[in-house]
Amino acid sequence: MNQIELKNVDKYYGKNHVLKGVNLAIEEGEFMTFLGPSGCGKTTTLRVIAGLEKPDGGIVVISGKEAANAETLNFLSPGKRGLNLVFQSYALWPHMTVYENVAFVLKVQKMPKEKIEENVKYALSLMQIEQYRDRYPSELSGGQQQRVAIARAIVSKPKVLLLDEPLSNLDAKLRLEMRSELKRLHRELGTTMVYVTHDQVEALTLSTRIAVFFEGEIVQVDTPLQLYTNPATLQVARFIGNPKINLIEGIAVNHGDMVSVHSILGSLEISKQEFEADFPENEQWECMLGIRPEHISVETVGTEESAVSIVTTMLAGSETLIEAEKSGQRIIIKQLGICNHQSGDRIYLNLSTDDINIFRRDSGKLIKKMK
Amino acid sequence: MFFIRFKNRVKEFFANPYSVIFIIIFSLLLFLILVPLGEILKESLQLSVSDAKREGMGTGALSLYYWKKLFCSAISRKMLYEPLAHSLFIAICVSLLSITIGATAAWLMVRTDLPFKKFFSLAIIVPYMLPAWCKAMAWVAVFKNPRIGGTAGFLSYLGFQIPDWLAYGPIAIILVLSIHNYAYTYLLVSAALKSVNTELEEMGEIAGASRWYILTRITFPLVLPSILGAFVLTFSQAMGTFSVPAFLGLKTGYYTISTMLQSALMQGNNGLAMVISIVLILIASLNIIVNQKLIGTRKSFVTISGKGSRTTTHVSLGKWKAFITIGMLVFIGAAVLLPLGILVLQSFMLKLGDFGIDNLTLHYWIGEGQEYIANGLPGVLRNPDFIHTVKNTLKLVFATSIIAALCGQLVGYINSRGKGKLSGKLIDQLVFVPYLIPSIAFGAMYLSMFSTAKTFDIGRWTVNWFPSLYGTFTLLVLVSVVKNLPFSSRSGTANMMQIGTELEEAAQVSGAKFLTRMRRIIFPLSKSGFLSGFLLIFINVMKELDLIIILVTPKMKTLPYMAYSYLTGGTEQYSNVVALIMFAIVFVMYFIAGRVSKEDVSLNIG
């Protein structure tokens, strides 16, 4: 069942069109991540779901109930949507102790005292912060405050938990720790989670599905694996992956059942069957080859076509990044282990057509997936 | 469809506390600020009964009679141009002088190795606690000469010949106002100086610039916006001030535009008084508009804070250190200790002008009424009228500060939550209007607005929808609350800005309704801000004379007014006693305010 549905949601800030007809269905129990650069509308979408912002167009349905309808101006208040939110700044009430912060929502719901005590205890133990229950937020470290904020959001057992860049204020080590903590929480609670981040590693490691936002639009919704291996557009391809994907201009020529793709890396012969539906029928068309740095292997001998010269090599512990150059185009190669190359050395690249994405250059759409 | 949309929109509007509060505040501001402004304009165009008869026109007819009379008639020079020239002269001189004093003091305190900084930082703002008219009283006590004052001042008693131009008139007014008003510049400029990262100056030093070059080319441009801001404040204050020119100018017939306004009102020339008010308001607005244009482009400097929170390096004063320190001490002595000392001394003097020991008495404090002194008026502390006035003043001050601080918080809520929205901007601008209007003109405005009952006629019946408030306690509270609204709402906005919207949203997501959010989140978090807003207004209203001088009736008077009327009645010692008691109350409140804001810092808000 769909837990949350957004249908053609539009949102303006003044003249600024921040959400442009967003459509999305989030299933029950999913860990859905909104990923995108800052200012792309992901937090706005989250706030529309929470009910803190009202959409100017479209419909929001939560747990089968209409939560917002811009047509009839029917808006359900945030408290009645059966969800809770973890803010980027945590937004802990500074005048309340940890216990009072977490108990607040239950008090608002007029739950009997003993039940409150029991529920708060459970939430605090789940987040492993029972020992801080009588402290004030200012007496806690950033990581502990984060745990309180999450405890406060889950104590009322909401059907949906929204998280707005919750880890961005933590240092690198704590962030890793909290990441696995969130994954555990999702497993234990089974709650539908909607998570906003601009950190792709966070998105790829945590989510069951990822929605990629660009300029107020969702351009791709997919599992982390699919998103990484087969980005739907050039824009997504450039955004996902670090080091970045190599994008190399090419010319494709159709002949019979085969397509030959010519680029600075030589010619590749690919069967037409491997291409997607909106494959151009012209005899010759422009394309862009997408190759992940880890999918290129390096040989010491090879044909003249596959030769490149090395610009720099950067050792990064367990792997080496090689920056090479051919005809003015930079190519990044990731090799496991330590490679000893000097700048100016010639190496030969070994590519498999299975590992190559091909995009149309005119629309930027992916038309050949990786196998 | 249309019907559902409409129904939901209406429901939405009234369910949203923001819009409900906005509507209430907006209509109140409209009624309390814009309507009185219109009323002034109307009254300036409407002939009074006697004038109408003389001019052969119907009562209530609209005409430019008063405007013509004020701007181009035989009395224009005496009533408008001369006082206006005096006011402008005073305002410009006071601004220049107090900015020089204030900015220098700020630089010395923030950027140099001046000794005794702790002491100076308190002493420097004490003059501001003493109302300007108290200082005017002290000035008179020191400088007056037997020719005009009737009795000798302190210096005359010692045998000095004090010329009239020093005892009364523009020089006296300018000096007294400057000693009072430099505090604005000091506070604004020192805040700006503190926020300028010293690294900016050190960069200049590394580049090889001299001290003076750095000061004039780097530091000064960075604090210029705050200096211009101080200019706006000082200029409007000096332009609209009534009490000081009244104390120091009227005896020699030196009128400013504000004293002229008051005397026109006292003589019943309401139409003329209203025209003068409009002139005053226009000048104040013009001043602010010009300065906003000037500051506008440079405003961004103000926020330069820099990350360098490390201790600032101080400029060494070198051989000038001792000299400057003594200069500061002398200045503080002259601006604070001397006026206070004189007031205390004079309050114990049986006969004015005799500074001998055998002339000392406690009569004016606690003496019983004696026929040969001031028609048998008893000492202030024994005077039931005084006790009544103290009660009345405290009642007024408490009522005003609580209401104003509360309104300030509400306006602050609208301002901070409606940031960027039209409604937020509208309130922000409206609330600022009372600031434009000089106190005395503001009083005049309320006098004209509320002296008669508001009625309208339906057929033969007259409906009285708003009663006459003249001479009531309510009117004094109302005028004080509205006039202080710019201050209270500024403090309320700052307070509400500190409380992040997310704190409220977190409660909203938890299902807490508006009143619950207010009670459990907003109010507890704004408590200390509320208290400091309250104290600010308390002190302002306690000292206030200009605003209420034309609204006060003998039954409804306040301590400043009592002191003023004793003084004009020629019984200065009583006046001194009242002023000292008032100062004591203000000083205690300052002390408490300091305590509160210290706690403020330890309470770490979001």
Side-chain angles (χ1 to χ4, degrees), chain B residues 106-153:
Chain B
W107 184 74
L108 285 171
M109 288 294 295
V110 178
R111 279 297 152 88
T112 69
D113 60 348
L114 190 77
F116 316 124
K117 270 194 189 161
K118 240 193 182 137
F119 164 73
F120 280 129
S121 68
L122 179 70
I124 253 174
I125 54 165
V126 170
Y128 187 61
M129 297 181 207
L130 201 60
W133 52 265
C134 280
K135 266 174 272 190
M137 262 164 69
W139 180 279
V140 174
V142 174
F143 288 102
K144 89 182 150 181
N145 56 29
R147 274 191 305 285
I148 294 179
T151 54

Side-chain angles (χ1 to χ4, degrees), chain B residues 557-574:
Chain B
K557 62 182 176 223
T558 64
L559 285 179
Y561 185 82
M562 196 178 194
Y564 175 75
S565 46
Y566 278 141
L567 189 74
T568 46
T571 43
E572 270 179 67
Q573 294 95 325
Y574 291 108

Side-chain angles (χ1 to χ4, degrees), chain B residues 461-581:
Chain B
W461 287 286
T462 303
V463 179
N464 188 348
W465 64 277
F466 203 86
S468 159
L469 290 180
Y470 184 67
T472 62
F473 183 67
T474 318
L475 181 59
L476 293 185
V477 173
L478 204 61
V479 75
S480 310
V481 167
V482 178
K483 178 67 185 160
N484 280 298
L485 215 49
F487 301 106
S488 64
S489 58
R490 174 155 302 182
S491 112
T493 307
N495 193 14
M496 287 295 168
M497 288 285 189
Q498 278 191 348
I499 304 170
T501 25
E502 293 192 337
L503 290 180
E504 203 190 338
E505 282 173 354
Q508 207 179 345
V509 172
S510 301
K513 297 229 167 54
F514 177 70
L515 286 178
T516 315
R517 297 202 299 267
M518 280 286 152
R519 195 166 49 86
R520 302 286 308 276
I521 311 288
I522 303 292
F523 187 69
L525 286 177
S526 59
K527 244 189 319 203
S528 63
F530 178 85
L531 203 57
S532 53
F534 169 85
L535 288 168
L536 177 82
I537 308 297
F538 188 100
I539 291 159
N540 266 356
V541 177
M542 191 77 210
K543 301 187 297 190
E544 188 64 66
L545 179 59
D546 294 10
L547 179 66
I548 52 175
I549 188 134
I550 52 179
L551 296 173
V552 164
T553 53
K555 253 177 77 187
M556 272 299 155
K557 62 182 176 223
T558 64
L559 285 179
Y561 185 82
M562 196 178 194
Y564 175 75
S565 46
Y566 278 141
L567 189 74
T568 46
T571 43
E572 270 179 67
Q573 294 95 325
Y574 291 108
S575 171
N576 295 335
V577 174
V578 174
L580 283 169
I581 292 171

Side-chain angles (χ1 to χ4, degrees), chain A residues 137-154:
Chain A
S138 57
E139 298 161 347
L140 298 175
S141 71
Q144 292 159 348
Q145 289 183 13
Q146 173 66 272
R147 285 168 183 271
V148 178
I150 297 174
R152 184 177 68 178
I154 58 172

Side-chain angles (χ1 to χ4, degrees), chain A residues 228-231 233-234 237-238 244-250 261 263 265 268 270 287-296 329 331-332 351-360 365-371:
Chain A
Y228 185 75
T229 49
N230 292 312
T233 66
L234 279 171
R238 284 195 191 101
K244 278 188 178 170
I245 194 167
N246 292 300
L247 291 171
I248 294 158
E249 289 181 4
V261 179
S263 72
L265 299 177
L268 298 165
I270 303 166
C287 63
M288 193 72 102
L289 282 71
I291 311 157
R292 293 278 174 201
E294 64 272 25
H295 290 146
I296 305 175
Q329 165 104 38
I331 298 162
I332 306 285
L351 292 170
S352 156
T353 52
D354 288 350
D355 292 335
I356 296 177
N357 291 136
I358 296 178
F359 302 87
R360 286 175 66 145
K365 288 245 163 63
L366 179 72
I367 50 170
K368 182 208 161 283
K369 290 189 174 171
M370 246 172 75
K371 266 190 194 160

Side-chain angles (χ1 to χ4, degrees), chain A residues 132-174:
Chain A
Y132 307 125
R133 56 175 282 159
D134 294 321
R135 293 224 194 147
Y136 283 94
S138 57
E139 298 161 347
L140 298 175
S141 71
Q144 292 159 348
Q145 289 183 13
Q146 173 66 272
R147 285 168 183 271
V148 178
I150 297 174
R152 184 177 68 178
I154 58 172
V155 72
S156 61
K157 304 196 173 69
K159 293 198 196 86
V160 177
L161 181 60
L162 309 173
L163 302 111
D164 184 7
E165 307 211 21
L167 307 187
S168 59
N169 287 339
L170 299 178
D171 61 47
K173 198 171 151 245
L174 262 177

Side-chain angles (χ1 to χ4, degrees), chain A residues 208-308:
Chain A
T208 53
R209 280 200 303 160
I210 298 172
V212 182
F213 281 72
F214 277 112
E215 288 164 7
E217 282 174 286
I218 295 183
V219 287
Q220 187 172 5
V221 185
D222 245 324
T223 61
L225 182 67
Q226 274 302 311
L227 192 71
Y228 185 75
T229 49
N230 292 312
T233 66
L234 279 171
Q235 205 177 19
V236 178
R238 284 195 191 101
F239 185 67
I240 304 282
N242 189 21
K244 278 188 178 170
I245 194 167
N246 292 300
L247 291 171
I248 294 158
E249 289 181 4
I251 303 286
V253 181
N254 299 344
H255 52 90
D257 285 344
M258 299 299 280
V259 180
S260 28
V261 179
H262 308 283
S263 72
I264 54 165
L265 299 177
S267 300
L268 298 165
E269 293 292 319
I270 303 166
S271 157
K272 251 185 193 168
Q273 288 166 350
E274 289 188 35
F275 285 86
E276 304 286 306
D278 61 346
F279 173 74
E281 290 301 330
N282 333 10
E283 195 188 322
Q284 191 177 323
W285 45 279
E286 293 183 317
C287 63
M288 193 72 102
L289 282 71
I291 311 157
R292 293 278 174 201
E294 64 272 25
H295 290 146
I296 305 175
S297 51
V298 173
E299 314 279 338
T300 44
V301 286
T303 60
E304 190 53 36
E305 272 193 325
S306 65
V308 293

